[in-house]
Amino acid sequence: EVQLVESGGGLVQPGRSLRLSCAASGFTFDDYAMHWVRQAPGKGLEWVSGISWNSGITAFADSVKGRFTMSRDNAKNSLYLQMNSLRAEDTALYYCAKDIGGTITADDAFDIWGQGTMVTVSS
Amino acid sequence: QSVLTQPPSVSGAPGQRVTISCTGSSSNIGAGYDVHWYQQLPGTAPKLLIYRNSNRPSGVPDRFSGSKSGTSASLAITGLQAEDEADYYCQSYDSSLRVFGTGTKVTVL
């Protein structure tokens, strides 16, 4: 079964850091680009970041650029999002999503989604 | 501020046809980039509904169809059913980044 399972969310104070993980199974992980997409409570979807199949290219939304980094370990079929200098506006459900293709520099879709991990930034 | 604009809500009676628009610009849809559509049922993760403008993944009913023209795209649902009540999002590519539409809530009357 093709599956993505996120973990690492929780309650964190403004200015602190948090690292999210996503465990992939059921497909050849290192063939595909991967992404993080978030959804604030009651709001729409926002693409956060993406990484190519071989980690050669990463990209970030302007709202998180310089604060978030993204990495993957193809040997462990795992994806990571390191979130630093967290703000209240980063509060959201964070989804891990699989790309249809291998690069992030393309107009491709996300064909597999995890169930999400909730991040709450509050003092 | 999303670069892809959708109507906040659309509604229809069971069996009717509804359409959802996704309006972009010359830097995204108008530049020839593909549009994809997602369905998000209440309390669940989004699901890919239409990819590359008009293609349905395996398992998606043919009641759902997509099209693209100029700087806009549309999702049509024919034979509306109660289980279609959900949020729908378009997605494309702009300035080397993936972008989502503002989202549309479909209500079945």
Side-chain angles (χ1 to χ4, degrees), chain A residues 2 29-30 52 61 67 76 90 97 119 122:
Chain A
V2 177
F29 183 69
D30 55 12
S52 62
R67 300 187 298 121
K76 295 182 178 179
D90 295 318
V119 172
S122 174

Side-chain angles (χ1 to χ4, degrees), chain A residues 87-118:
Chain A
R87 306 167 179 167
E89 53 265 36
D90 295 318
T91 294
L93 185 61
Y94 284 73
Y95 293 105
C96 167
K98 172 187 167 293
D99 199 302
I100 279 183
T103 179
I104 60 172
T105 56
D107 53 349
D108 278 335
F110 313 114
D111 61 344
I112 304 296
W113 296 67
Q115 287 306 303
T117 187
M118 186 68 200

Side-chain angles (χ1 to χ4, degrees), chain A residues 34-63:
Chain A
M34 297 293 296
H35 302 263
W36 290 96
V37 176
R38 70 184 181 183
Q39 186 169 35
K43 302 297 184 182
L45 301 174
E46 180 188 14
W47 176 84
V48 173
S49 62
I51 187 167
S52 62
W53 67 276
N54 62 352
S55 303
I57 304 173
T58 56
F60 299 88
D62 289 344
S63 56

